[in-house]
Amino acid sequence: MIDLSVLTEKASLVAKEAGAYLRQQQLTFDRSVVELKSMNALVSDVDRSTEELIVKRLTEIFPEAGFLTEEETTTQATDSQYTWVIDPLDGTTNFVHGLPIFSVSIALLKEEWPVMGIVYEVGMDECFTAYEGGGAYLNGKRINVTSSERLEDTLLATGFPYYNFSKLQGFQNTLAHMYQHTRGVRRIGTAAVDLAYTACGRFDGYFEYGLSPWDVAAGVVLVREAGGIVTNFADKNVPVAAESIIAANKSIHPLVYTIIEQNIG
Ligand code: IPD
Ligand code: CA
Ligand code: CA
């Protein structure tokens, strides 16, 4: 029987160690060494070395679990029902361009379902943690989603499509509606932090499509444990809503869903 509370504590130390390494690396980072994985998908040796560090540490604290990692630095096979899902650096474009907002994202799945999430936002030294049934926390203090009820009172977050333009027209129409009916829409460049900020009430809601499991798995646990709702664009309560995601408080979620449904379908 694993103790999620103890594991969350240990894994958050790993996230902070990785974050400290990233903070140091950004000081001397040379943008010319960046590679392109695919269209607009930047990657550097820092992404890979950070991931190796995280995998090593998590293997030490929970050797039985498998891994699903963005940079694929490990192929450790396991028959465990537990899988770590890791994005060592969420917000690589920010990191590369010297912007101070990027994060380490670590989630634990049991079978398909995310049961623990840690998002460490490096620039502000903020560690968001949650495990199933235990509530959500920011640097040890309990956090909750907002209680806003009207779209007009919300600040929303999103990510702009940068390689998958399959829903572009509908997405732009959705944005046009949101510009006119909310306090504003932010694109801060790290999905993990978009979700963490939704969990702690800085954002009232967040929507995006074309993501991968490691972008959202940790943040999904944060939002659910902070009292919010997470679904995909079809309003389905899927375990990790990566292909498309709407995360918001209970009142705002259906309002965002309705606009997306009308414009994107
Ligand atoms: C990206 C960020 C960004 C989102 C992209 C992701 P990366 O992750 O989360 O906010 O809009 O879709 O790929 O590449 O910086 O790890
Ligand atoms: Ca990412
Ligand atoms: Ca990444």
Side-chain angles (χ1 to χ4, degrees), residues 109-183:
L109 307 189
K110 183 178 182 186
E111 306 296 353
E112 304 287 295
W113 191 261
V115 291
M116 179 210 291
I118 295 159
V119 174
Y120 179 57
E121 200 288 296
V122 179
M124 299 263 283
D125 185 25
E126 289 189 324
C127 193
F128 298 84
T129 58
Y131 61 88
E132 200 171 45
Y137 296 83
L138 162 53
N139 289 346
K141 289 205 176 112
R142 190 75 186 246
I143 52 173
N144 294 294
V145 295
T146 61
S147 53
S148 53
E149 294 180 348
R150 303 176 334 137
L151 217 44
E152 285 71 15
D153 300 326
T154 63
L155 181 64
L156 301 181
T158 192
F160 302 145
Y162 59 95
Y163 74 98
N164 175 352
F165 302 113
S166 61
K167 305 183 201 300
L168 191 58
Q169 193 54 55
F171 184 82
Q172 291 186 166
N173 293 344
T174 301
L175 271 186
H177 183 99
M178 297 309 188
Y179 297 151
Q180 296 170 80
H181 295 89
T182 66
R183 292 184 180 170

Side-chain angles (χ1 to χ4, degrees), residues 70-71 87 89-90 92:
E70 178 172 20
E71 308 308 340
D87 191 338
L89 169 48
D90 190 50
T92 296

